[in-house]
Amino acid sequence: MTDSHAPRTPDSGEPPPQTGTDAAPSERIATIPNALSALRLLLVPVFCWLLLGPHADAWAFAVLFVSGASDWADGKLARLLNQSSKIGALLDPAADRLYMVVIPICFGLREILPWWIIGVLVGRDLLLLASGPLLKSRGLTALPTVYVGKAATFSLMSAFPFLLLGELDSIIGDIFHPIGWAFLIWGLYMYVWSFVVYWVQTVLVLTRMPAVGKSGR
């Protein structure tokens, strides 16, 4: 799960502080959580080839399973081993976003998902990227992750392997196909809702914090 080190936006009228969590992340690179995040990134082209090349759906499912397990493990280990790092705070969400773009597109090419759903998923992330320059103008790099966003990512990342299993022409496919769609529909709703929440927070930051280089009144 993504271990955010971004500044927090309080619910009160106070502008968010420009420091992150209580313990500042280190400059270390060679850590176990970073290695897991790097592994997830390296598995992206492997997944694409397995799904679109030989149509090795079972192996593609295995890649998604390993990626999902490492996503949970890197955040957990970062806290347990005190190995939070600045590069880890970038690698982990970058891997999440890459999977959230690549998997739907691959599913579209295989006709597992309709393209309008893929457009919503990918378009949401692209529009969210547009908030980056606005936040940077206030001295921030990102907003803190919200629970609904984490829940949406979890639901969608659960839906994808279930949908892949649903493609199997067997009793397994019959069982997991509706389960995958249930996770997908719920995750899609939360994904859009988290987009609204992030943009509301962005507007609050723009209205309550002075631009970089300007003193607040």
Side-chain angles (χ1 to χ4, degrees):
M1 190 168 289
T2 301
D3 187 16
S4 174
H5 298 285
R8 297 186 178 277
T9 304
D11 295 329
S12 65
E14 290 291 327
Q18 296 197 28
T19 56
T21 55
D22 294 335
S26 72
E27 301 285 349
R28 289 180 294 178
I29 296 178
T31 66
I32 295 175
N34 289 350
L36 291 175
S37 294
L39 173 64
R40 288 167 60 212
L41 288 171
L42 291 174
L43 286 176
V44 172
V46 176
F47 170 80
C48 294
W49 178 76
L50 289 171
L51 192 67
L52 302 177
H55 288 196
D57 292 350
W59 283 106
F61 169 81
V63 169
L64 288 185
F65 181 83
V66 171
S67 299
S70 65
D71 185 24
W72 172 84
D74 62 6
K76 192 74 171 178
L77 290 174
R79 291 185 291 272
L80 289 177
L81 302 178
N82 192 25
Q83 291 188 349
S84 296
S85 63
K86 292 182 178 180
I87 190 171
L90 296 176
L91 280 178
D92 189 20
D96 286 342
R97 299 282 69 80
L98 186 59
Y99 271 96
M100 290 304 300
V101 171
V102 169
I103 295 176
I105 291 176
C106 288
F107 276 20
L109 294 173
R110 276 285 305 273
E111 299 183 349
I112 298 174
L113 286 179
W115 282 102
W116 73 265
I117 289 182
I118 298 165
V120 171
L121 293 173
V122 176
R124 180 264 194 193
D125 281 347
L126 293 178
L127 290 174
L128 201 58
L129 284 175
S131 67
L134 300 176
L135 294 174
K136 190 174 182 181
S137 71
R138 298 304 192 266
L140 306 178
T141 56
L143 291 169
T145 54
V146 294
Y147 178 78
V148 68
K150 292 181 178 181
T153 300
F154 171 80
S155 184
L156 291 171
M157 292 301 289
S158 299
F160 295 145
F162 287 150
L163 289 171
L164 199 52
L165 287 177
E167 291 297 298
L168 298 177
D169 188 18
S170 65
I171 185 63
I172 294 177
D174 294 338
I175 293 173
F176 283 101
H177 187 264
I179 295 175
W181 272 99
F183 272 100
L184 179 70
I185 292 170
W186 184 232
L188 188 65
Y189 166 77
M190 291 189 292
Y191 212 52
V192 173
W193 180 244
S194 65
F195 167 78
V196 174
V197 172
Y198 284 129
W199 265 102
V200 169
Q201 289 184 343
T202 299
V203 172
L204 290 176
V205 166
L206 294 176
T207 56
R208 296 176 181 178
M209 290 184 66
V212 174
K214 298 182 180 180
S215 58
R217 296 292 181 185

